[in-house]
Amino acid sequence: MSKVTQIGHPLILHKLTLIRDKNTGSKEFRELVEEVAMLMAYEVTRDLDLEEVEIETPICKAKCRMLAGKKVAIVPILRAGLGMVDGMLSMIPAAKVGHIGLYRDEETFKPVEYFCKLPQDIGERDIIVTDPMLATGGSAVDAITSLKAKGAKYIRLMCLIAAPEGIKAVEMAHPDVDIYVAEIDEKLNEKGYIVPGLGDAGDRLFGTK
Ligand code: PRP
Ligand code: URA
């Protein structure tokens, strides 16, 4: 079963409250989403493998540790997942970035894929899928299914806010995928929006609507 990690660090929760506030404009919203992604990167990458390397400090030779093994790919779900990429890249600058484009049909809430471009060696990489919102879970479930169909094996999902329904949907469809979230909200409303949530993440990030 998926491991669900709620990253309730005070700095993250403080910034998330500002993100949720309807009076926060696009510029500040973008900056805050990037900052929260950067802070969450610390926990999302906690179990990456390390290897021992020998280096020389100005004082002596020393055996130290560096990241080892599989390389990382960050895969934002377009559009809103893009807002988390720069924050992640500032912590993992060598990561490659794939893109998967999905939008939710406003009547059925079902995701429709319109774009997918991934690093060639996606199957060998530790993949971090980013999307600020996990609502019904339809977009994340379909994005992960699509990634797996293209060879992806090691996938984790990172969201700012999740509804219980979305977590359940990912757990059911992809029990091998661990989920990292800053906060789990109460429920979905009749339009499939997270309550209390933050509204439409893509529109708030990019100033559309
Ligand atoms: C939003 C959000 C997720 C999806 C979550 O994207 O960024 O991808 O909805 O909802 P779900 O869990 O019910 O699938 P949206 O479809 O609004 O597209 P956009 O990012 O291009 O605005
Ligand atoms: N997508 C969003 O951007 N916000 C929600 O609350 C649900 C889906």
Side-chain angles (χ1 to χ4, degrees), residues 75-79 98-103 113-118 129-130 139 142-147 150:
V75 179
I77 301 180
L78 306 182
R79 293 176 298 167
H99 295 87
I100 184 152
L102 295 169
Y103 67 86
E113 185 176 318
Y114 60 87
F115 186 77
C116 186
K117 181 86 180 162
L118 303 172
V129 175
T130 64
S139 304
D142 277 24
I144 293 166
T145 302
S146 182
L147 282 169
K150 292 170 177 82

Side-chain angles (χ1 to χ4, degrees), residues 62-118:
K63 287 193 169 68
C64 299
R65 282 163 294 175
M66 293 188 85
L67 288 174
K70 296 191 292 298
K71 302 225 165 29
V72 172
I74 299 161
V75 179
I77 301 180
L78 306 182
R79 293 176 298 167
L82 278 176
M84 298 166 76
V85 172
D86 284 351
M88 294 297 287
L89 283 177
S90 62
M91 291 294 106
I92 321 167
K96 292 203 171 165
V97 182
H99 295 87
I100 184 152
L102 295 169
Y103 67 86
R104 290 200 319 172
D105 183 292
E106 298 215 333
E107 310 227 302
T108 62
F109 309 146
K110 293 264 181 292
V112 183
E113 185 176 318
Y114 60 87
F115 186 77
C116 186
K117 181 86 180 162
L118 303 172

